Amino acid sequence: MSEHLVRRRIFLDGRWVDPFDSKPIEVTDCFTEARLGEAPGVGGDDVGRAVDAGRRAWSRWASTPRVERARLLGRVRDNLASRVDVIAQVWAREAGMPIAAGRPSTAGLAFAVLDEMIEILSAPHAEERIGSTIVVEEPVGLVAAITPWNYPMSQLAIKTASALAAGCTVVAKPSEIAPFGAFFFADAVAEADLPPGVFNLVAGSGRPVGEVLASDPRVDAISFTGSTATGRRLMEIAAGRIARVTLELGGKSASVVLDEGHLEEAVTATMASCFRNNGQTCTSLTRLVVPHPLVDRAATMAAEIAASQRLGDPSDHSTTIGPLVSSAQRDRVRHFIESGIAEGAELVIGGSGAPPGLERGYFVQPTVFANVEPQSTIAQEEIFGPVLSVIGHAGTDDAIAIANGTRYGLAGAVFGPDDEALAVARSIRAGFVSVNGGAFNSRAPYGGLGQSGLGRELGRWGMEEFVELRAVSLMT
Ligand code: ADP
């Protein structure tokens, strides 16, 4: 595996090239804490070169027939398919995603989006007319795609597939903490022989590279996934020139169990979501909101599930919870656990110490708190680790108020009689809500309300983020 993990070049204008200026950034194996590899940290001139390449390629790509764009995306897809195993293996080491879940996830969302874009582009498409007015659709231009470390390949694949499908060109900047998934994606693009400059990859950390990219006036749209704080910063930068932003940010999603909801099913589904990717998932259901008399039972069930997790090497197929991505992230999560205890929540299982026998690797104990106050820190802040808060509610209205009582609005779940649960789902202010275990749909729009974000990804809505609409009226 390691031969793939020393990356010194960036992908520019259709070729892998040496940066003018690069300070290599060491990437750490989050299980062994040893060096995993290195990726470049490029300078501003390299960012400028990538933007040049993206701009130069734009008008030709924008006028490339849709079926040709579909054909080339199909090649990216095929090239990615042969890399699924290595991407999942590296994901386990760069960000801690257990391989048993990581492999199907790698093979899932990125391919679903590529397939969806190919299908959209392959279908007949006519300009819409409103009376004597033609609705002209145009690609927005050059897109900066800035992605985080938790789903390193698929987040970039979603943004790139949607932008390229719309006729935009892309300069991508993955996370410096877990960059390799994006490099494998770029390998797949490189081999697909897209016209030079249509897709470009730079690398490095947030301020010196991400911010320089986002600030370039030739970038027409910024598509970002990451923390709310960085999203806010990027929106400020975009405001300076009224550039478009799509922001996929944090969450503090609630799973609401109504009086007649099936408690065991609810707890099982909520825990699966809460512990997905070791809790490093923005849509994780991290607040389990149950009727007051059921708090103890729900917490006991959740604790049994937490106790049954297999912590360990994320490359081992039997592991269900791996290490967190970094020591900083581990310390942050442990600090939240301490704040939960300090603020009086009942610690049912877990805690802030290292799990027994796992002092090495950035592990956090799967943790369940009961009787958590809805306004307390652990019920309000995104923790991004395997930590569940069980909160009591005093009826449906109270449950809805608790679910909506954070600054976020990314996801949610409701368990109860179908009609009632659907009505509650409609009242939960979140971009995606599951009713009685309804599955996430990669063809439906995805995104957040409130401080969880702006704009949508996935399906035709994801592509439309990168489309500009104009009205051209004819004489009648
Ligand atoms: P996380 O805490 O999940 O790593 P961040 O928002 O810090 O989330 O990072 C997500 C992505 O945003 C990464 O690629 C990171 O390098 C980049 N980034 C961080 N700060 C900035 C910034 N000021 N401008 C542009 N990109 C940034």
Side-chain angles (χ1 to χ4, degrees):
M1 188 206 302
S2 58
E3 73 275 19
H4 305 290
L5 302 184
V6 175
R7 297 295 193 130
R8 302 225 160 97
R9 297 182 145 186
I10 52 178
F11 190 67
L12 268 188
D13 226 358
R15 287 181 305 132
W16 286 103
V17 300
D18 290 322
F20 287 149
D21 176 22
S22 177
K23 290 191 187 62
I25 296 180
E26 193 153 289
V27 180
T28 305
D29 182 323
C30 55
F31 177 60
T32 62
E33 301 188 20
R35 179 182 188 275
L36 179 65
E38 72 174 54
V42 303
D45 288 350
D46 292 304
V47 176
R49 279 207 286 170
V51 172
D52 279 345
R55 276 250 69 95
R56 274 199 309 276
W58 180 68
S59 56
R60 188 175 146 206
W61 183 246
S63 56
T64 298
R66 291 163 66 97
V67 285
E68 175 63 3
R69 282 186 231 150
R71 189 183 71 80
L72 290 168
L73 286 179
R75 277 162 63 167
V76 174
R77 185 200 191 288
D78 295 345
N79 296 341
L80 205 54
S82 60
R83 295 181 159 83
V84 164
D85 285 324
V86 73
I87 292 171
Q89 282 161 16
V90 175
W91 186 9
R93 316 305 295 208
E94 62 179 344
M97 174 60 144
I99 195 152
R103 195 188 179 288
S105 174
T106 302
L109 198 50
F111 291 100
V113 176
L114 281 159
D115 285 340
E116 176 80 0
M117 293 303 126
I118 292 165
E119 197 180 314
I120 290 173
L121 292 175
S122 305
H125 182 73
E127 277 180 333
E128 196 176 336
R129 278 209 179 216
I130 301 171
S132 59
T133 303
I134 307 167
V135 180
V136 175
E137 295 176 22
E138 280 175 4
V140 120
L142 173 61
V143 175
I146 301 178
T147 51
W149 46 260
N150 57 337
Y151 289 77
M153 191 280 283
S154 58
Q155 277 149 333
L156 184 55
I158 293 169
K159 293 184 189 311
T160 303
S162 309
L164 297 190
C168 293
T169 53
V170 171
V171 176
K173 206 296 283 176
S175 166
E176 64 280 20
I177 299 170
F180 296 119
F183 275 83
F184 291 125
F185 180 77
D187 287 336
V189 176
E191 285 175 17
D193 283 332
L194 268 63
V198 166
F199 173 83
N200 309 276
L201 178 82
V202 295
S205 50
R207 290 238 165 155
V209 184
E211 200 155 321
V212 170
L213 172 61
S215 304
D216 194 306
R218 296 166 298 168
V219 168
D220 300 290
I222 301 167
S223 179
F224 171 75
T225 301
S227 64
T228 297
T230 303
R232 189 175 293 117
R233 174 73 193 123
L234 290 172
M235 207 167 163
E236 282 167 9
I237 291 171
R241 58 181 195 279
I242 321 287
R244 252 191 221 204
V245 287
T246 304
L247 304 174
E248 301 296 345
L249 310 175
K252 189 71 200 177
S253 300
S255 177
V256 170
V257 185
L258 303 176
D259 285 345
E260 291 164 52
H262 195 300
L263 189 64
E264 196 178 337
E265 279 175 17
V267 175
T268 304
T270 304
M271 293 304 280
S273 166
C274 183
F275 286 176
R276 185 170 161 69
N277 196 11
N278 320 324
Q280 304 175 125
T281 302
C282 38
T283 50
S284 282
L285 299 167
T286 52
R287 295 182 296 151
L288 178 59
V289 184
V290 304
H292 276 301
L294 299 183
V295 165
D296 289 343
R297 253 178 73 202
T300 305
M301 287 178 186
E304 280 167 12
I305 294 171
S308 71
Q309 300 302 310
R310 292 185 65 124
L311 274 66
D313 184 345
S315 306
D316 182 329
H317 283 263
S318 65
T319 296
T320 60
I321 293 193
L324 301 191
V325 68
S326 64
S327 59
Q329 194 59 25
R330 173 199 60 198
D331 294 348
R332 193 169 168 271
V333 173
R334 288 184 178 178
H335 184 75
F336 274 122
I337 295 172
E338 280 160 16
S339 85
I341 296 167
E343 289 183 33
E346 180 192 332
L347 181 68
V348 186
I349 193 169
S352 63
L358 290 170
E359 285 74 19
R360 193 198 61 185
Y362 307 127
F363 287 94
V364 169
Q365 295 183 57
T367 296
V368 175
F369 282 104
N371 293 306
V372 177
E373 282 301 320
Q375 294 308 319
S376 64
T377 307
I378 56 167
Q380 288 289 320
E381 298 298 325
E382 183 177 52
I383 295 175
F384 236 54
V387 181
L388 181 81
S389 293
V390 184
I391 301 172
H393 73 74
T396 302
D397 291 345
D398 189 36
I400 294 169
I402 292 169
N404 290 338
T406 73
R407 64 181 195 274
Y408 295 113
L410 192 54
V414 189
F415 294 86
D418 285 338
D419 290 349
E420 204 187 331
L422 176 58
V424 171
R426 288 185 191 278
S427 303
I428 293 183
R429 303 269 306 146
F432 166 65
V433 185
S434 160
V435 175
N436 288 324
F440 184 81
N441 185 343
S442 62
R443 305 182 71 147
Y446 167 73
L449 279 63
Q451 292 189 21
S452 288
L454 206 59
R456 294 292 176 263
E457 296 197 294
L458 302 181
R460 68 176 165 81
W461 301 272
M463 179 175 160
E464 285 166 7
E465 283 290 307
F466 302 113
V467 173
E468 198 68 86
L469 298 176
R470 299 194 299 121
V472 175
S473 284
L474 308 175
M475 272 289 280
T476 49

